[in-house]
Amino acid sequence: NAGVMQNPRHLVRRRGQEARLRCSPMKGHSHVYWYRQLPEEGLKFMVYLQKENIIDESGMPKERFSAEFPKEGPSILRIQQVVRGDSAAYFCASSLVPTGIYGYTFGSGTRLTVV
Amino acid sequence: ELKVEQNPLFLSMQEGKNYTIYCNYSTTSDRLYWYRQDPGKSLESLFVLLSNGAVKQEGRLMASLDTKARLSTLHITAAVHDLSATYFCAVDRDYQLIWGAGTKLIIKP
């Protein structure tokens, strides 16, 4: 069981570039969640997706950020025209059912640095 | 708005001692989670507490949940250096986890 796979582990982007973060959920999990963690803080919810559907994107910034979870392939979190404030660790989690009764499994995260 | 508060935020202790981390939350929730995070690493699930009065233990860690008081505790017994990490509690609001700020635990040999 490979767990939740995120890549890349580290990503460096210059201001104004695009960042693409990928997440493959655990086998059998069809619910994916993205969280952002700033240094020395807890995680903040960004978006919840099921296959081909965005269920809740209430935590996503209104501009520059988008997420998808296509029928085939990993979930993608896309940040356009990155700014220094986007530097953070981005974690993906997946679950078997759309509640946490069986818990959420987290990936190793992508650490984004904007220079 | 659901808020989750942990205390203390920082804890330095000697090996062999006992201590408790507290997690308060502001509105009703039936599920509470404890996670461990090592520096630069992902979040490791420790406990999922699903009901009032739930108590779970794993090794030197024991977690409990009082939904009426909106309080969870993580108790560390006879701490060892390997338990040094940051510990987070999180409360489930539907499918969103609302996180505490974390407790950074340093255990000195």
Coordinates of all heavy atoms in Angstrom, one line a residue, chain B residues 27-107:
Chain B
T27 N -17.0 24.8 19.1 CA -18.4 24.3 18.8 C -18.5 22.8 18.8 O -17.4 22.1 18.7 CB -18.9 24.9 17.5 OG1 -18.0 24.5 16.4 CG2 -18.9 26.4 17.5
T28 N -19.6 22.3 18.7 CA -19.9 20.9 18.8 C -19.2 20.1 17.7 O -19.3 20.6 16.5 CB -21.4 20.6 18.8 OG1 -22.0 21.3 19.8 CG2 -21.6 19.1 18.9
S29 N -18.5 19.1 18.0 CA -18.0 18.2 17.0 C -17.8 16.8 17.6 O -17.6 16.6 18.8 CB -16.6 18.7 16.5 OG -16.0 17.7 15.6
D30 N -18.1 15.8 16.8 CA -18.1 14.4 17.3 C -16.8 13.7 17.0 O -16.6 12.5 17.4 CB -19.2 13.6 16.7 CG -20.6 14.2 17.2 OD1 -20.6 14.6 18.4 OD2 -21.6 14.1 16.5
R31 N -15.9 14.3 16.3 CA -14.6 13.6 15.9 C -13.4 14.5 16.2 O -13.4 15.7 15.8 CB -14.6 13.2 14.4 CG -15.6 12.1 14.1 CD -15.5 11.6 12.7 NE -15.9 12.7 11.8 CZ -17.1 12.9 11.4 NH1 -18.1 12.1 11.9 NH2 -17.4 13.8 10.5
L32 N -12.5 14.0 16.8 CA -11.2 14.7 17.1 C -10.0 13.8 16.8 O -10.1 12.6 17.1 CB -11.2 15.2 18.6 CG -10.1 16.2 18.9 CD1 -10.6 17.3 19.7 CD2 -8.9 15.4 19.5
Y33 N -9.0 14.4 16.3 CA -7.8 13.7 15.8 C -6.6 14.3 16.4 O -6.5 15.5 16.7 CB -7.7 13.8 14.3 CG -8.9 13.5 13.5 CD1 -9.9 14.5 13.4 CD2 -9.1 12.3 12.9 CE1 -11.1 14.2 12.7 CE2 -10.2 12.0 12.2 CZ -11.2 12.9 12.1 OH -12.4 12.6 11.4
W34 N -5.7 13.4 16.7 CA -4.3 13.8 17.1 C -3.3 13.3 16.1 O -3.4 12.1 15.6 CB -4.0 13.2 18.5 CG -4.6 13.9 19.6 CD1 -5.8 13.5 20.2 CD2 -4.2 15.1 20.3 NE1 -6.1 14.4 21.2 CE2 -5.1 15.4 21.3 CE3 -3.1 16.0 20.1 CZ2 -5.0 16.5 22.1 CZ3 -3.0 17.1 20.9 CH2 -4.0 17.3 21.9
Y35 N -2.4 14.2 15.7 CA -1.4 13.9 14.7 C 0.0 14.3 15.3 O 0.1 15.2 16.1 CB -1.6 14.7 13.4 CG -2.7 14.1 12.5 CD1 -4.0 14.6 12.7 CD2 -2.4 13.2 11.5 CE1 -5.0 14.1 11.9 CE2 -3.4 12.7 10.7 CZ -4.7 13.2 10.9 OH -5.7 12.7 10.1
R36 N 1.0 13.6 14.8 CA 2.4 13.9 15.1 C 3.1 14.4 13.9 O 2.9 13.8 12.8 CB 3.1 12.7 15.7 CG 4.6 12.9 15.8 CD 5.2 11.7 16.3 NE 6.7 11.8 16.2 CZ 7.6 11.2 17.0 NH1 7.1 10.4 18.0 NH2 8.9 11.4 16.9
Q37 N 3.9 15.4 14.0 CA 4.7 15.9 12.9 C 6.1 16.1 13.3 O 6.4 16.8 14.2 CB 4.1 17.2 12.3 CG 4.8 17.6 11.0 CD 4.3 18.9 10.4 OE1 3.9 19.8 11.1 NE2 4.2 18.9 9.1
D38 N 7.1 15.4 12.6 CA 8.5 15.7 12.8 C 8.9 16.7 11.9 O 8.3 16.9 10.8 CB 9.3 14.4 12.6 CG 9.0 13.3 13.7 OD1 9.3 13.6 14.8 OD2 8.3 12.3 13.4
P39 N 10.0 17.5 12.2 CA 10.4 18.6 11.4 C 10.6 18.2 9.9 O 11.3 17.3 9.6 CB 11.7 19.0 12.0 CG 11.6 18.6 13.4 CD 10.8 17.3 13.4
G40 N 9.9 19.0 9.0 CA 10.1 18.7 7.6 C 9.4 17.5 7.1 O 9.5 17.1 5.9
K41 N 8.6 16.9 7.9 CA 7.9 15.6 7.6 C 6.4 15.8 7.5 O 5.9 16.9 7.7 CB 8.2 14.6 8.6 CG 9.7 14.3 8.8 CD 10.4 13.7 7.6 CE 11.8 13.4 7.9 NZ 12.5 12.8 6.7
S42 N 5.7 14.7 7.1 CA 4.3 14.7 7.0 C 3.6 14.5 8.4 O 4.3 14.5 9.4 CB 3.9 13.6 6.0 OG 2.5 13.7 5.8
L43 N 2.3 14.3 8.3 CA 1.6 14.2 9.6 C 1.2 12.7 9.8 O 0.6 12.1 8.9 CB 0.3 15.0 9.5 CG 0.7 16.5 9.5 CD1 0.2 17.1 8.2 CD2 0.1 17.2 10.7
E44 N 1.6 12.2 10.9 CA 1.3 10.8 11.3 C 0.1 10.8 12.2 O 0.0 11.4 13.2 CB 2.5 10.2 12.0 CG 2.3 8.8 12.5 CD 3.4 8.4 13.4 OE1 4.4 9.1 13.5 OE2 3.3 7.3 14.0
S45 N -0.9 10.0 11.8 CA -2.1 9.9 12.6 C -1.8 9.1 13.8 O -1.2 8.0 13.8 CB -3.2 9.2 11.8 OG -4.4 9.0 12.6
L46 N -2.2 9.7 15.0 CA -2.0 9.0 16.3 C -3.3 8.4 16.7 O -3.4 7.2 17.1 CB -1.5 10.0 17.3 CG -0.1 10.5 17.0 CD1 0.2 11.6 18.1 CD2 1.0 9.5 17.0
F47 N -4.3 9.2 16.8 CA -5.6 8.8 17.4 C -6.8 9.4 16.6 O -6.7 10.6 16.2 CB -5.8 9.1 18.9 CG -4.7 8.5 19.7 CD1 -3.7 9.3 20.3 CD2 -4.7 7.2 20.0 CE1 -2.7 8.8 21.1 CE2 -3.7 6.6 20.8 CZ -2.7 7.5 21.4
V48 N -7.8 8.7 16.5 CA -9.1 9.2 16.0 C -10.1 8.9 17.1 O -10.4 7.8 17.5 CB -9.6 8.5 14.7 CG1 -10.9 9.1 14.3 CG2 -8.6 8.7 13.6
L49 N -10.7 10.0 17.7 CA -11.6 9.9 18.8 C -13.0 10.2 18.3 O -13.2 11.3 17.8 CB -11.2 10.8 19.9 CG -9.8 10.6 20.5 CD1 -9.4 11.7 21.4 CD2 -9.7 9.2 21.2
L50 N -13.9 9.3 18.4 CA -15.2 9.4 17.7 C -16.4 9.7 18.6 O -17.4 10.0 18.1 CB -15.5 8.1 16.9 CG -14.4 7.8 15.8 CD1 -14.8 6.4 15.2 CD2 -14.4 8.9 14.8
S51 N -16.2 9.5 19.9 CA -17.4 9.7 20.7 C -17.0 10.2 22.1 O -15.9 10.1 22.5 CB -18.1 8.4 20.9 OG -17.3 7.4 21.5
N52 N -18.0 10.7 22.8 CA -17.8 11.3 24.1 C -17.2 10.2 25.1 O -17.8 9.1 25.1 CB -19.0 11.9 24.7 CG -18.8 12.6 26.0 OD1 -17.8 13.3 26.2 ND2 -19.7 12.4 27.0
G53 N -16.2 10.5 25.8 CA -15.7 9.5 26.7 C -14.7 8.6 26.1 O -14.1 7.7 26.8
A54 N -14.4 8.7 24.8 CA -13.5 7.8 24.1 C -12.1 8.0 24.7 O -11.6 9.1 25.0 CB -13.4 8.1 22.6
V55 N -11.4 6.9 24.9 CA -10.1 6.9 25.4 C -9.3 5.9 24.6 O -9.7 4.7 24.4 CB -10.0 6.5 26.9 CG1 -8.5 6.5 27.4 CG2 -10.7 7.5 27.8
K56 N -8.1 6.3 24.1 CA -7.3 5.4 23.3 C -5.9 5.5 23.8 O -5.4 6.6 24.1 CB -7.4 5.7 21.8 CG -8.8 5.4 21.2 CD -8.7 5.4 19.7 CE -10.1 5.0 19.1 NZ -10.0 5.0 17.7
Q57 N -5.2 4.4 23.7 CA -3.8 4.4 24.2 C -2.9 3.7 23.2 O -3.3 2.6 22.6 CB -3.7 3.7 25.6 CG -2.3 3.8 26.2 CD -2.2 3.5 27.6 OE1 -3.3 3.2 28.2 NE2 -1.1 3.6 28.2
E58 N -1.7 4.2 23.0 CA -0.7 3.6 22.2 C 0.6 3.9 22.8 O 1.1 5.0 22.7 CB -0.8 4.1 20.7 CG 0.1 3.5 19.8 CD -0.2 2.1 19.4 OE1 -1.4 1.8 19.3 OE2 0.7 1.3 19.2
G59 N 1.2 2.8 23.3 CA 2.5 3.0 24.0 C 2.4 4.0 25.1 O 1.6 3.9 26.0
R60 N 3.2 5.0 25.1 CA 3.3 6.0 26.1 C 2.3 7.2 26.0 O 2.3 8.1 26.7 CB 4.7 6.6 26.2 CG 5.8 5.5 26.5 CD 7.2 6.1 26.4 NE 8.2 5.1 26.5 CZ 8.6 4.6 27.7 NH1 8.2 5.1 28.8 NH2 9.6 3.7 27.7
L61 N 1.5 7.1 24.9 CA 0.5 8.2 24.6 C -0.9 7.7 24.9 O -1.2 6.5 24.5 CB 0.7 8.6 23.2 CG 2.0 9.1 22.7 CD1 1.9 9.5 21.2 CD2 2.4 10.3 23.5
M62 N -1.7 8.5 25.5 CA -3.1 8.2 25.7 C -3.9 9.5 25.5 O -3.6 10.6 25.9 CB -3.3 7.8 27.2 CG -4.8 7.4 27.4 SD -5.0 6.7 29.1 CE -4.8 8.2 30.1
A63 N -5.0 9.3 24.7 CA -5.8 10.4 24.3 C -7.2 10.2 24.8 O -7.7 9.0 24.8 CB -5.8 10.6 22.8
S64 N -7.9 11.3 25.2 CA -9.3 11.2 25.6 C -10.1 12.3 25.1 O -9.5 13.3 24.6 CB -9.3 11.2 27.2 OG -8.9 12.5 27.6
L65 N -11.4 12.1 25.1 CA -12.3 13.1 24.5 C -13.5 13.3 25.4 O -14.2 12.4 25.8 CB -12.8 12.7 23.1 CG -13.8 13.6 22.4 CD1 -13.1 15.0 22.2 CD2 -14.2 13.0 21.1
D66 N -13.8 14.6 25.7 CA -15.0 15.0 26.5 C -15.7 16.0 25.6 O -15.4 17.1 25.5 CB -14.6 15.6 27.8 CG -15.8 16.0 28.7 OD1 -16.9 16.1 28.1 OD2 -15.6 16.2 29.9
T67 N -16.7 15.5 24.9 CA -17.4 16.4 23.9 C -18.3 17.4 24.7 O -18.5 18.5 24.1 CB -18.3 15.5 23.0 OG1 -19.3 14.8 23.8 CG2 -17.5 14.6 22.1
K68 N -18.7 17.1 25.9 CA -19.5 18.1 26.6 C -18.7 19.3 27.0 O -19.1 20.4 27.0 CB -20.2 17.4 27.8 CG -21.2 16.4 27.4 CD -21.8 15.7 28.7 CE -22.8 14.6 28.2 NZ -23.4 13.9 29.4
A69 N -17.5 19.0 27.4 CA -16.5 20.1 27.8 C -15.8 20.6 26.6 O -15.1 21.6 26.7 CB -15.5 19.6 28.8
R70 N -15.9 20.0 25.5 CA -15.2 20.3 24.2 C -13.7 20.3 24.5 O -13.0 21.3 24.2 CB -15.7 21.7 23.7 CG -17.2 21.6 23.3 CD -17.7 23.0 22.9 NE -19.1 23.0 22.7 CZ -19.9 24.1 22.6 NH1 -19.3 25.3 22.6 NH2 -21.2 24.0 22.4
L71 N -13.3 19.2 25.0 CA -11.9 19.1 25.5 C -11.3 17.8 25.2 O -12.0 16.7 25.4 CB -11.8 19.4 27.0 CG -10.4 19.1 27.6 CD1 -9.4 20.2 27.2 CD2 -10.6 19.2 29.2
S72 N -10.1 17.8 24.6 CA -9.4 16.5 24.5 C -8.0 16.7 25.1 O -7.5 17.8 25.1 CB -9.2 16.2 23.0 OG -8.5 14.9 22.8
T73 N -7.5 15.6 25.6 CA -6.2 15.6 26.2 C -5.3 14.5 25.6 O -5.8 13.5 25.2 CB -6.2 15.4 27.7 OG1 -6.8 14.1 28.0 CG2 -7.0 16.5 28.4
L74 N -4.0 14.8 25.5 CA -3.0 13.9 25.1 C -2.0 13.8 26.2 O -1.3 14.7 26.5 CB -2.4 14.3 23.8 CG -1.3 13.4 23.2 CD1 -1.9 12.1 22.8 CD2 -0.5 14.0 22.1
H75 N -2.0 12.6 26.8 CA -1.2 12.4 28.0 C 0.0 11.6 27.6 O -0.1 10.6 26.9 CB -2.0 11.7 29.1 CG -1.2 11.6 30.4 ND1 -1.0 12.7 31.2 CD2 -0.6 10.6 31.0 CE1 -0.3 12.3 32.3 NE2 -0.1 11.0 32.2
I76 N 1.2 12.1 28.1 CA 2.4 11.4 27.8 C 3.0 10.8 29.1 O 3.1 11.5 30.1 CB 3.5 12.4 27.2 CG1 2.9 13.0 26.0 CG2 4.8 11.7 26.9 CD1 3.4 14.4 25.7
T77 N 3.2 9.5 29.1 CA 3.7 8.9 30.3 C 5.1 8.5 30.2 O 5.5 7.9 29.2 CB 2.8 7.6 30.6 OG1 1.5 7.9 30.7 CG2 3.3 6.9 31.8
A78 N 5.9 8.8 31.2 CA 7.4 8.5 31.2 C 8.0 8.8 29.8 O 8.5 7.9 29.1 CB 7.5 7.0 31.6
A79 N 8.0 10.1 29.5 CA 8.5 10.5 28.2 C 9.9 10.0 27.8 O 10.8 9.9 28.7 CB 8.4 12.0 28.1
V80 N 10.1 9.7 26.6 CA 11.4 9.3 26.0 C 11.7 10.3 24.9 O 10.8 10.9 24.3 CB 11.4 7.9 25.5 CG1 11.3 6.9 26.7 CG2 10.3 7.6 24.5
H81 N 13.0 10.4 24.6 CA 13.5 11.4 23.6 C 12.8 11.2 22.3 O 12.5 12.2 21.6 CB 15.0 11.2 23.5 CG 15.6 12.2 22.4 ND1 15.5 13.6 22.6 CD2 16.1 11.9 21.2 CE1 16.1 14.1 21.6 NE2 16.5 13.2 20.7
D82 N 12.5 10.0 21.9 CA 11.9 9.7 20.6 C 10.5 10.3 20.4 O 10.0 10.4 19.3 CB 11.8 8.2 20.3 CG 13.1 7.5 20.1 OD1 14.1 8.3 19.9 OD2 13.2 6.3 20.0
L83 N 9.9 10.8 21.5 CA 8.6 11.4 21.4 C 8.7 12.9 21.1 O 7.7 13.6 20.9 CB 7.8 11.2 22.7 CG 7.3 9.8 22.9 CD1 6.6 9.7 24.3 CD2 6.4 9.3 21.8
S84 N 9.9 13.4 21.0 CA 10.1 14.8 20.6 C 9.5 15.0 19.2 O 9.9 14.4 18.2 CB 11.5 15.2 20.6 OG 12.1 15.1 21.9
A85 N 8.6 16.0 19.1 CA 7.9 16.3 17.8 C 6.9 17.4 18.1 O 6.8 17.9 19.2 CB 7.1 15.0 17.3
T86 N 6.2 17.8 17.0 CA 5.1 18.7 17.2 C 3.8 17.9 17.1 O 3.6 17.1 16.2 CB 5.1 19.8 16.2 OG1 6.3 20.6 16.3 CG2 3.9 20.8 16.3
Y87 N 2.9 18.1 18.1 CA 1.6 17.4 18.1 C 0.5 18.3 17.9 O 0.4 19.4 18.4 CB 1.5 16.8 19.5 CG 2.5 15.7 19.8 CD1 3.7 16.0 20.2 CD2 2.2 14.3 19.5 CE1 4.7 15.0 20.4 CE2 3.1 13.3 19.7 CZ 4.4 13.7 20.2 OH 5.3 12.7 20.3
F88 N -0.4 17.9 16.9 CA -1.5 18.7 16.5 C -2.8 18.0 16.9 O -2.9 16.7 16.7 CB -1.5 18.9 15.0 CG -0.5 19.8 14.5 CD1 0.7 19.3 14.0 CD2 -0.7 21.2 14.5 CE1 1.7 20.2 13.5 CE2 0.3 22.0 14.0 CZ 1.5 21.5 13.5
C89 N -3.8 18.7 17.4 CA -5.1 18.2 17.4 C -5.9 18.9 16.3 O -5.6 20.0 15.9 CB -5.8 18.4 18.8 SG -6.1 20.2 19.2
A90 N -6.9 18.2 15.8 CA -7.8 18.7 14.8 C -9.2 18.2 15.0 O -9.4 17.1 15.4 CB -7.3 18.3 13.4
V91 N -10.1 19.1 14.7 CA -11.5 18.8 14.8 C -12.2 18.7 13.5 O -11.9 19.6 12.6 CB -12.2 19.8 15.8 CG1 -13.7 19.6 15.8 CG2 -11.6 19.8 17.1
D92 N -13.1 17.8 13.3 CA -13.7 17.6 12.0 C -15.0 18.4 11.9 O -15.9 18.2 12.7 CB -14.1 16.1 11.9 CG -14.1 15.6 10.5 OD1 -14.3 16.4 9.6 OD2 -13.8 14.4 10.3
R93 N -15.0 19.3 10.9 CA -16.3 20.0 10.6 C -16.7 19.5 9.2 O -16.2 19.9 8.2 CB -16.1 21.5 10.6 CG -17.3 22.3 10.3 CD -17.1 23.8 10.3 NE -16.2 24.1 9.2 CZ -15.7 25.4 9.1 NH1 -15.9 26.3 10.0 NH2 -14.9 25.6 8.1
D94 N -17.6 18.5 9.2 CA -17.9 17.8 8.0 C -16.6 17.1 7.5 O -16.0 16.3 8.2 CB -18.5 18.7 6.9 CG -19.9 19.2 7.4 OD1 -20.6 18.5 8.1 OD2 -20.2 20.4 7.1
Y95 N -16.1 17.5 6.4 CA -14.9 16.9 5.8 C -13.7 17.8 6.0 O -12.6 17.6 5.5 CB -15.1 16.6 4.4 CG -15.9 17.7 3.7 CD1 -15.3 18.9 3.4 CD2 -17.2 17.6 3.4 CE1 -16.0 19.9 2.8 CE2 -18.0 18.6 2.9 CZ -17.4 19.8 2.5 OH -18.1 20.8 2.0
Q96 N -13.9 19.0 6.6 CA -12.8 19.9 6.8 C -12.2 19.7 8.2 O -12.9 19.6 9.2 CB -13.2 21.4 6.8 CG -13.7 21.8 5.4 CD -13.9 23.3 5.5 OE1 -13.3 24.1 6.3 NE2 -14.8 23.8 4.6
L97 N -10.9 19.5 8.3 CA -10.2 19.5 9.6 C -9.8 20.9 10.0 O -9.2 21.6 9.2 CB -9.0 18.6 9.5 CG -9.2 17.1 9.4 CD1 -7.9 16.3 9.3 CD2 -10.1 16.6 10.6
I98 N -10.2 21.3 11.2 CA -9.8 22.6 11.7 C -8.7 22.3 12.8 O -9.0 21.5 13.7 CB -11.0 23.3 12.4 CG1 -12.2 23.3 11.5 CG2 -10.6 24.7 12.9 CD1 -12.0 24.1 10.2
W99 N -7.6 22.9 12.6 CA -6.4 22.5 13.3 C -6.0 23.5 14.4 O -6.2 24.7 14.3 CB -5.2 22.4 12.4 CG -5.3 21.4 11.3 CD1 -6.1 21.5 10.2 CD2 -4.7 20.1 11.3 NE1 -6.0 20.3 9.5 CE2 -5.1 19.4 10.1 CE3 -3.8 19.4 12.1 CZ2 -4.7 18.2 9.8 CZ3 -3.4 18.2 11.8 CH2 -3.8 17.5 10.6
G100 N -5.5 22.9 15.5 CA -4.8 23.7 16.5 C -3.5 24.2 16.0 O -3.0 23.7 14.9
A101 N -2.8 25.0 16.7 CA -1.6 25.6 16.3 C -0.4 24.7 16.5 O 0.7 24.9 16.0 CB -1.3 26.9 17.0
G102 N -0.6 23.6 17.2 CA 0.4 22.6 17.5 C 1.1 22.9 18.8 O 1.2 24.0 19.3
T103 N 1.6 21.8 19.4 CA 2.4 21.8 20.6 C 3.8 21.2 20.3 O 3.9 20.0 19.9 CB 1.8 21.0 21.8 OG1 0.5 21.6 22.1 CG2 2.7 21.0 23.0
K104 N 4.8 22.1 20.4 CA 6.2 21.6 20.1 C 6.7 21.0 21.3 O 6.9 21.7 22.3 CB 7.0 22.7 19.6 CG 8.4 22.3 19.1 CD 9.1 23.4 18.4 CE 10.5 22.9 17.9 NZ 11.2 24.0 17.1
L105 N 7.0 19.7 21.3 CA 7.4 19.0 22.5 C 8.9 18.6 22.3 O 9.3 18.0 21.3 CB 6.6 17.7 22.6 CG 7.0 16.8 23.8 CD1 6.8 17.4 25.1 CD2 6.1 15.5 23.7
I106 N 9.7 19.0 23.3 CA 11.1 18.7 23.3 C 11.4 17.9 24.6 O 11.1 18.4 25.7 CB 12.0 19.9 23.2 CG1 11.8 20.6 21.9 CG2 13.5 19.5 23.4 CD1 12.6 21.9 21.8
I107 N 11.9 16.7 24.4 CA 12.2 15.8 25.5 C 13.7 15.6 25.6 O 14.3 15.1 24.7 CB 11.5 14.5 25.4 CG1 10.0 14.7 25.3 CG2 11.8 13.6 26.6 CD1 9.2 13.5 24.9

